[in-house]
PDB file of all heavy atoms in Angstrom:
ATOM      1  N   PHE Z 747      12.519  23.750  -3.157  1.00  0.00           N
ATOM      2  CA  PHE Z 747      12.870  25.140  -2.889  1.00  0.00           C
ATOM      3  C   PHE Z 747      11.665  25.937  -2.405  1.00  0.00           C
ATOM      4  O   PHE Z 747      10.513  25.660  -2.768  1.00  0.00           O
ATOM      5  CB  PHE Z 747      13.436  25.798  -4.154  1.00  0.00           C
ATOM      6  CG  PHE Z 747      14.787  25.265  -4.565  1.00  0.00           C
ATOM      7  CD1 PHE Z 747      14.895  24.191  -5.431  1.00  0.00           C
ATOM      8  CD2 PHE Z 747      15.957  25.844  -4.072  1.00  0.00           C
ATOM      9  CE1 PHE Z 747      16.137  23.694  -5.804  1.00  0.00           C
ATOM     10  CE2 PHE Z 747      17.201  25.358  -4.437  1.00  0.00           C
ATOM     11  CZ  PHE Z 747      17.296  24.281  -5.309  1.00  0.00           C
ATOM     12  N   LEU Z 748      11.957  26.935  -1.589  1.00  0.00           N
ATOM     13  CA  LEU Z 748      10.950  27.918  -1.199  1.00  0.00           C
ATOM     14  C   LEU Z 748      10.709  28.840  -2.387  1.00  0.00           C
ATOM     15  O   LEU Z 748      11.638  29.153  -3.146  1.00  0.00           O
ATOM     16  CB  LEU Z 748      11.448  28.746  -0.010  1.00  0.00           C
ATOM     17  CG  LEU Z 748      11.586  27.994   1.323  1.00  0.00           C
ATOM     18  CD1 LEU Z 748      12.423  28.808   2.290  1.00  0.00           C
ATOM     19  CD2 LEU Z 748      10.223  27.687   1.910  1.00  0.00           C
ATOM     20  N   GLU Z 749       9.487  29.232  -2.556  1.00  0.00           N
ATOM     21  CA  GLU Z 749       9.141  30.170  -3.632  1.00  0.00           C
ATOM     22  C   GLU Z 749       8.511  31.407  -3.012  1.00  0.00           C
ATOM     23  O   GLU Z 749       7.377  31.357  -2.539  1.00  0.00           O
ATOM     24  CB  GLU Z 749       8.192  29.510  -4.638  1.00  0.00           C
ATOM     25  CG  GLU Z 749       8.808  28.294  -5.323  1.00  0.00           C
ATOM     26  CD  GLU Z 749       7.865  27.686  -6.360  1.00  0.00           C
ATOM     27  OE1 GLU Z 749       6.886  28.369  -6.743  1.00  0.00           O
ATOM     28  OE2 GLU Z 749       8.099  26.541  -6.771  1.00  0.00           O
ATOM     29  N   ASP Z 750       9.288  32.475  -2.972  1.00  0.00           N
ATOM     30  CA  ASP Z 750       8.828  33.717  -2.346  1.00  0.00           C
ATOM     31  C   ASP Z 750       8.380  33.461  -0.906  1.00  0.00           C
ATOM     32  O   ASP Z 750       7.377  34.004  -0.437  1.00  0.00           O
ATOM     33  CB  ASP Z 750       7.689  34.338  -3.165  1.00  0.00           C
ATOM     34  CG  ASP Z 750       7.402  35.778  -2.742  1.00  0.00           C
ATOM     35  OD1 ASP Z 750       8.309  36.416  -2.157  1.00  0.00           O
ATOM     36  OD2 ASP Z 750       6.281  36.258  -2.973  1.00  0.00           O
ATOM     37  N   GLY Z 751       9.145  32.611  -0.201  1.00  0.00           N
ATOM     38  CA  GLY Z 751       8.840  32.311   1.191  1.00  0.00           C
ATOM     39  C   GLY Z 751       7.746  31.278   1.390  1.00  0.00           C
ATOM     40  O   GLY Z 751       7.398  30.960   2.529  1.00  0.00           O
ATOM     41  N   LEU Z 752       7.196  30.733   0.310  1.00  0.00           N
ATOM     42  CA  LEU Z 752       6.126  29.737   0.402  1.00  0.00           C
ATOM     43  C   LEU Z 752       6.651  28.349   0.035  1.00  0.00           C
ATOM     44  O   LEU Z 752       7.588  28.214  -0.760  1.00  0.00           O
ATOM     45  CB  LEU Z 752       4.974  30.102  -0.535  1.00  0.00           C
ATOM     46  CG  LEU Z 752       4.319  31.479  -0.382  1.00  0.00           C
ATOM     47  CD1 LEU Z 752       3.257  31.666  -1.454  1.00  0.00           C
ATOM     48  CD2 LEU Z 752       3.713  31.649   1.009  1.00  0.00           C
ATOM     49  N   PHE Z 753       6.024  27.327   0.584  1.00  0.00           N
ATOM     50  CA  PHE Z 753       6.324  25.959   0.146  1.00  0.00           C
ATOM     51  C   PHE Z 753       5.038  25.151   0.103  1.00  0.00           C
ATOM     52  O   PHE Z 753       4.100  25.403   0.865  1.00  0.00           O
ATOM     53  CB  PHE Z 753       7.370  25.276   1.043  1.00  0.00           C
ATOM     54  CG  PHE Z 753       6.912  24.972   2.443  1.00  0.00           C
ATOM     55  CD1 PHE Z 753       6.236  23.793   2.750  1.00  0.00           C
ATOM     56  CD2 PHE Z 753       7.175  25.867   3.481  1.00  0.00           C
ATOM     57  CE1 PHE Z 753       5.819  23.511   4.041  1.00  0.00           C
ATOM     58  CE2 PHE Z 753       6.756  25.590   4.779  1.00  0.00           C
ATOM     59  CZ  PHE Z 753       6.083  24.413   5.061  1.00  0.00           C
ATOM     60  N   ASP Z 754       5.005  24.177  -0.819  1.00  0.00           N
ATOM     61  CA  ASP Z 754       3.842  23.306  -0.999  1.00  0.00           C
ATOM     62  C   ASP Z 754       4.135  21.973  -0.328  1.00  0.00           C
ATOM     63  O   ASP Z 754       5.062  21.263  -0.714  1.00  0.00           O
ATOM     64  CB  ASP Z 754       3.575  23.107  -2.499  1.00  0.00           C
ATOM     65  CG  ASP Z 754       2.313  22.284  -2.758  1.00  0.00           C
ATOM     66  OD1 ASP Z 754       1.624  21.919  -1.777  1.00  0.00           O
ATOM     67  OD2 ASP Z 754       2.027  22.016  -3.939  1.00  0.00           O
ATOM     68  N   LEU Z 755       3.353  21.629   0.690  1.00  0.00           N
ATOM     69  CA  LEU Z 755       3.593  20.401   1.449  1.00  0.00           C
ATOM     70  C   LEU Z 755       3.001  19.161   0.775  1.00  0.00           C
ATOM     71  O   LEU Z 755       3.348  18.043   1.150  1.00  0.00           O
ATOM     72  CB  LEU Z 755       2.991  20.555   2.850  1.00  0.00           C
ATOM     73  CG  LEU Z 755       3.342  19.474   3.880  1.00  0.00           C
ATOM     74  CD1 LEU Z 755       4.834  19.456   4.166  1.00  0.00           C
ATOM     75  CD2 LEU Z 755       2.547  19.679   5.164  1.00  0.00           C
TER      76      LEU Z 755
END
Side-chain angles (χ1 to χ4, degrees):
F747 291 90
L748 292 165
E749 299 182 15
D750 193 22
L752 304 177
F753 68 86
D754 184 3
L755 190 63

